[in-house]
Amino acid sequence: MANDARDDDHTTIIPVAPATGDTTLSLTGEFAAQLAALEAGVTGEELESIAALPSGSALLIVRRGPNAGARFLLDTAVSTVGRHPNADIFLDDVTVSRRHAEFARHGHSFVVRDLGSLNGTYVGGVRVEEALLDDGTEVQIGKFRLTFYPSRIDVATAAGH
């Protein structure tokens, strides 16, 4: 049993190469992404939700603001954000304009577009009119800080896997 992997009673034994003095650990892309997400404060339940996203969809998770922990599914061509009761993503705070911003899907990518809001829309701390969103990007709308997570299928496809 020294150098083979077994799964007995949920215990996994990982083979270890003879000591070479090399302390480098090589991780698969997906494991590295999951590890980075955990370090960024993503819960196990959130990881499961992100992993379950179908191609062409994404998830926004409120990290800071009045609704911290709230999740919003982006699964339509355009999702509006604002303080208006008919907004797809209703953010109830005076720092959010009634028609503040929108998230638009282009193929398997998403952009956020400011709709002339008073307080602006920020991506990675920079005020934008429109910005392409990457995995883990922070979007600030008023007091709300949301993190963007696209479908893992689309992330893998974009990476060429």
Side-chain angles (χ1 to χ4, degrees):
M1 183 157 137
N3 276 343
D4 60 334
R6 296 187 198 275
D7 189 5
D8 300 328
D9 298 326
H10 304 291
T11 300
T12 303
I13 298 171
I14 301 171
V16 179
T20 62
D22 185 3
T23 59
T24 305
L25 178 63
S26 179
L27 306 173
T28 66
E30 184 173 334
F31 182 77
Q34 288 176 350
L35 186 59
L38 285 172
E39 291 174 351
V42 180
T43 67
E45 185 179 317
E46 290 169 343
L47 277 175
E48 286 179 19
S49 296
I50 295 164
L53 290 170
S55 180
S57 66
L59 190 66
L60 288 171
I61 301 175
V62 179
R63 294 292 173 209
R64 289 193 195 150
N67 293 19
R71 298 180 214 165
F72 300 100
L73 178 64
L74 301 177
D75 64 349
T76 59
V78 176
S79 298
T80 59
V81 181
R83 204 167 24 95
H84 191 281
N86 293 338
D88 298 313
I89 299 173
F90 177 65
L91 299 178
D92 191 16
D93 189 82
V94 296
T95 60
V96 178
S97 296
R98 291 175 64 74
R99 286 186 24 87
H100 196 106
E102 66 184 15
F103 290 89
R105 180 176 61 205
H106 297 286
H108 295 290
S109 299
F110 285 83
V111 297
V112 63
R113 187 175 301 124
D114 187 81
L115 298 176
S117 67
L118 181 63
N119 291 324
T121 300
Y122 295 79
V123 173
V126 177
R127 189 171 183 157
V128 298
E129 295 299 317
E130 182 174 306
L132 181 64
L133 299 174
D134 291 320
D135 188 24
T137 298
E138 182 183 84
V139 178
Q140 183 174 346
I141 296 173
K143 290 181 181 177
F144 297 84
R145 291 188 183 205
L146 308 105
T147 305
F148 172 80
Y149 299 100
S151 162
R152 302 292 94 178
I153 297 165
D154 298 338
V155 170
T157 301
H161 292 94

